[in-house]
């Protein structure tokens, strides 16, 4: 393989990698600019499929000259006149061209009958094709090495026609724009001509149906506009108003200059190769500018998803923290829980001794609790308290997350129609199940610890349920959440539970049991809250975003630029991998060069390396 072939193969592989990276790009969030960026991604893939990939694979394939223009400009008539035969429909009804017509020399049929270019358009050969189909017409008057493609109107009232017309222009080696004296200043053609300027495409502009008296003035004004819009090298042809013949064609003399130029381009092998290489290089430069815009869009989507995810996870994490605090700062030792515990242990003599010496508490607690009734009301009150606490925290997290997402256009679309402003309908049942499991675990801890520490007799004396209730109360031992009036009662309540447990198990065991029970409760309630958070995060996971999508596109674009530079003999672009990431606004600013610098004739010279230096700021 020669060095030229290796460079061509490297560029082809780089383009295929870029194509894959962009085709796999997902921009599902409706963030500002997303709709435009989706269109940009689709157009970039189209440009690769329709032009760059097939052209780089076969640099020697015939040139494709796409004839485009505004409604009623006379494109079809011009094509027929160049061929000298009615090969494409022309008429007064608009839009006339319902499907594109590609006219080629019979010897070149193999180049266009396959899906080498415009692969999404099926090929037809009959005269009645409509819609998205490419009608092939072989005619000997078309010069070998070139085909003419009559495209739909670029300003058609039919959206599909407009989009198809732009897609076909993206597949062109040579852009042949047809306009009239009344329409040449319209905005739409100049938007597409700006794209042609970015791509360095070979452009010919045909000023059609011009009255002889106005020829010089109109031609001079149009020529000055081409210079102003960055197309000083565009070829300008004038076709005077003339009577059509029976076949709907202009006199041969009216299109002689244009026909001769097209034959010269097609017949000059070296010149044709130069046109191809210039068009490829310009198209690559256009990709190098546009691809980072998509990379920045991918980063923006990933960042937005991360922010929405943080909102949900933070809200439910804070809900879990609130539950954890409330079960350790004494908040639980009030209301129903406190009343049931007092009933169980007896409030009279026992609570009158709270201010006595701490050393007597253990004996008094032990004496008071022997033979007390089973503490089911205590456990039930604790269960109800935990249930309400967790439910309220989850409801608050759901409300906060939902409100924050609703205030965000992208987040609003994700929750639209979903019942997420409140907790799940089965949340209370799930919390209750976890609380019951936790309470059963507490009883198991007490039973296991009693058996291991040879305290079976004492455990049996107090009862597993009684000690379990004491352990549940003990984990709520801090008084940080209580008012001054509540501290004495609740604090004493916790201390009594603590002393009772110490009397049975000892100090170290009580600390371990309390810690284990607290951790188990926290883990269970956090698990329930995490499940609730997943109602939001599942919607984000379903977007199936690839966090590395932006980096992949950047890397692929760099390799395309380097491969193109090697192929054209220019200096390899700088490696930007060590530079700070350029933000999306800067990429978008670069993307608007067609409306600013090119339009004003101020675009930097210097080919691919110049574009790359400006893009990366190097």
């Amino acid at each position: 393989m020669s060095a030229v072939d290796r460079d061509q193969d490297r560029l082809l592989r780089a383009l295929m990698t870029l194509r894959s990276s962009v085709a796999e790009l997902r921009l599902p969030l409706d963030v500002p600019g997303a709709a435009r960026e989706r269109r940009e991604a689709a157009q970039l893939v189209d440009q690769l499929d329709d032009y760059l990939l097939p052209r780089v694979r076969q640099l020697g394939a015939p040139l494709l000259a796409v004839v485009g223009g505004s409604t009623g400009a006379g494109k079809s008539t011009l094509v027929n006149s160049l061929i000298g035969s009615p090969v494409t429909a022309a008429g007064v009804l608009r839009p006339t061209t319902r499907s594109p017509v590609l006219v080629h020399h019979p010897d070149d049929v193999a180049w266009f009958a396959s899906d080498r270019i415009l692969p999404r358009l099926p090929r037809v050969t009959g005269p009645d094709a409509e819609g998205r189909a490419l009608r092939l017409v072989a005619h000997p008057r078309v010069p070998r090495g070139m085909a003419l493609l009559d495209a739909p109107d670029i300003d058609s009232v039919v959206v599909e026609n407009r989009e198809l017309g732009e897609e076909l222009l993206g597949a062109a080696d040579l852009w042949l724009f047809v306009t009239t004296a009344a329409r040449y200043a319209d905005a739409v053609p100049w938007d597409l001509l700006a794209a042609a300027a970015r791509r360095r495409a070979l452009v010919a502009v045909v000023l059609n149906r011009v009255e002889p008296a106005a020829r010089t003035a109109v031609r001079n004004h149009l020529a000055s506009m081409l210079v102003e819009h960055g197309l000083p090298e565009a070829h300008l042809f004038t076709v005077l108003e003339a009577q059509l013949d029976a076949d709907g064609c202009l006199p041969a003399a009216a299109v002689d200059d244009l026909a001769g130029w097209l034959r010269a381009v097609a017949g000059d092998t070296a010149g044709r190769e130069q046109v191809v290489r210039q068009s490829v290089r310009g198209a690559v430069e256009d990709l190098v500018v546009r691809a980072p815009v998509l990379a920045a869009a991918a980063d923006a989507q990933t960042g937005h998803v991360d922010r929405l995810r943080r909102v949900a996870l933070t809200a439910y994490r804070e809900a879990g923290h609130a539950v954890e605090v409330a079960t350790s700062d004494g908040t639980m030792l009030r209301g129903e829980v406190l009343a049931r515990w007092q009933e169980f242990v007896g409030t009279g003599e026992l609570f009158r001794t709270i201010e006595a010496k701490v050393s007597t508490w253990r004996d008094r607690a032990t004496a008071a609790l022997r033979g007390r009734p089973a503490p089911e009301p205590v456990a039930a009150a604790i269960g109800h308290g935990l249930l309400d606490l967790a439910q309220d925290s989850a409801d608050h997290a759901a409300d906060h997350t939902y409100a924050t997402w609703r205030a965000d256009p992208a987040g609003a679309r994700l929750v639209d129609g979903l019942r997420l402003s409140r907790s799940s309908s089965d949340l209370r049942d799930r919390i209750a199940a976890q609380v019951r499991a936790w309470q059963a675990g507490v009883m198991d801890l007490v039973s296991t610890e009693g058996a291991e520490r040879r305290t079976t007799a004492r455990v049996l004396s107090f009862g597993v349920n009684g000690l379990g209730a004491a352990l549940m109360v003990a984990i709520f031992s801090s008084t940080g959440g209580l008012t001054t009036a509540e501290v004495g009662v609740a604090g004493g309540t916790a201390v009594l539970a603590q002393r009772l447990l110490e009397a049975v198990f000892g100090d170290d065991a009580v600390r371990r049991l309390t810690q284990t029970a607290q951790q188990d409760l926290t883990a269970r309630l956090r698990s329930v809250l995490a499940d609730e958070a997943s109602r939001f995060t599942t919607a984000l996971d379903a977007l199936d975003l690839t966090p590395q999508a932006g980096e992949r596109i950047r890397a692929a674009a760099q390799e395309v630029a380097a491969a193109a530079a090697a192929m054209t003999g220019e200096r390899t672009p700088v490696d930007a991998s060590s530079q700070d990431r350029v933000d999306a606004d800067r990429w978008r600013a670069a993307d608007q060069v067609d409306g600013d610098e090119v339009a004003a004739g101020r675009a930097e010279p210097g080919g691919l390396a110049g574009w790359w230096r400006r893009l990366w700021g190097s």
Side-chain angles (χ1 to χ4, degrees), residues 96 117 189 199 254 309 342 585 601:
T96 299
I117 61 170
R199 283 186 49 185
R309 189 185 302 277
Q342 288 174 345
D585 290 340

Side-chain angles (χ1 to χ4, degrees), residues 391-409:
Q391 178 80 58
D392 289 345
S393 297
D395 286 344
H396 178 75
D399 180 68
H400 174 75
T401 303
Y402 183 81
T404 305
W405 280 31
R406 286 289 298 176
D408 182 295

Side-chain angles (χ1 to χ4, degrees), residues 334 479-488:
R334 62 174 72 187
T479 59
L482 302 181
T483 64
T484 303
E486 295 171 313
V487 168

Side-chain angles (χ1 to χ4, degrees), residues 102 105 130 134 138 149 171 174 227 332 382 392 423 544:
L102 190 150
H105 191 276
E130 293 187 5
L134 184 61
L149 198 161
L174 189 159
V227 173
M332 287 292 297
I382 290 174
D392 289 345
S423 299
D544 195 26

Side-chain angles (χ1 to χ4, degrees), residues 285-603:
E285 291 175 359
D286 189 39
L287 286 183
V288 168
V289 172
R290 293 164 64 190
V293 179
L294 298 178
D299 293 342
Q301 292 261 327
T302 301
H304 207 96
V305 165
D306 290 343
R307 287 192 292 275
L308 291 174
R309 189 185 302 277
R310 281 197 299 272
V311 168
L313 295 180
T314 300
Y316 282 95
R317 186 166 52 247
E318 290 177 351
H321 179 68
V323 170
E324 186 176 357
V325 170
T327 55
S328 62
D329 68 355
T331 300
M332 287 292 297
L333 298 180
R334 62 174 72 187
E336 186 70 12
V337 173
L338 181 60
R340 299 290 76 81
W341 175 255
Q342 288 174 345
E343 289 176 2
F344 174 57
V345 300
T347 59
E349 177 66 21
L350 189 60
F351 276 90
R352 281 195 294 272
T353 66
I354 288 177
E355 294 183 0
K357 294 181 179 178
V358 173
S359 60
T360 68
W361 283 11
R362 178 179 302 168
D363 295 335
R364 291 184 177 274
T366 301
L369 290 176
R370 287 187 188 277
R372 299 299 297 175
E376 285 80 5
V378 179
I382 290 174
H384 293 153
L386 290 173
L387 182 56
D388 291 339
L389 175 64
Q391 178 80 58
D392 289 345
S393 297
D395 286 344
H396 178 75
D399 180 68
H400 174 75
T401 303
Y402 183 81
T404 305
W405 280 31
R406 286 289 298 176
D408 182 295
R413 285 291 300 272
L414 294 175
V415 299
D416 188 31
L418 300 178
R419 184 188 174 280
L420 296 178
S421 60
R422 300 292 290 173
S423 299
S424 303
S425 58
D426 66 341
L427 175 62
R428 197 166 185 85
D429 293 338
R430 288 188 285 121
I431 295 173
Q434 288 294 338
V435 170
R436 287 194 299 270
W438 172 70
Q439 289 181 325
V442 169
M443 300 307 172
D444 288 342
L445 280 175
V446 171
S447 298
T448 303
E449 186 68 24
E452 290 178 354
R453 296 186 59 83
R454 299 178 182 178
T455 56
T456 304
R458 278 176 288 174
V459 171
L460 291 176
S461 175
F462 292 112
V464 172
N465 288 347
L467 293 174
L471 181 55
M472 293 178 205
V473 170
I475 70 168
F476 311 139
S477 58
S478 173
T479 59
L482 302 181
T483 64
T484 303
E486 295 171 313
V487 168
V489 176
T493 297
V495 171
L496 285 171
Q498 182 88 4
R499 295 311 182 202
L500 170 62
L501 294 169
E502 290 173 355
V504 178
F505 301 116
D507 295 356
D508 292 339
V510 170
R511 281 193 292 271
R512 178 163 41 78
L513 290 172
T514 303
Q515 184 179 28
T516 301
Q518 173 71 53
Q519 290 174 347
D520 183 42
L521 176 62
T522 299
R524 288 179 180 277
L525 295 182
R526 282 189 177 275
S527 175
V528 173
L529 293 171
D531 287 342
E532 285 294 287
S534 69
R535 298 187 306 149
F536 292 93
T537 59
T538 297
L540 300 176
D541 296 336
L543 299 175
D544 195 26
L545 287 178
T546 303
Q548 298 80 26
E551 291 302 329
R552 290 177 183 174
I553 292 174
R554 286 188 185 90
Q558 284 185 276
E559 175 57 17
V560 166
M567 185 173 172
T568 58
E570 296 188 12
R571 181 177 65 84
T572 301
V574 296
D575 178 10
S577 60
S578 62
Q579 299 182 12
D580 292 336
R581 178 172 298 170
V582 182
D583 59 34
D585 290 340
R586 185 175 180 187
W587 294 124
R588 291 186 177 90
D591 190 45
Q592 296 302 317
V593 67
D594 60 306
D596 299 320
E597 295 188 4
V598 169
R602 300 195 301 271

Side-chain angles (χ1 to χ4, degrees), residues 574 579 582 586 611-618:
V574 296
Q579 299 182 12
V582 182
R586 185 175 180 187
W611 281 87
W612 190 260
R613 284 194 298 272
R614 182 176 65 205
L615 184 66
W616 286 101
S618 58

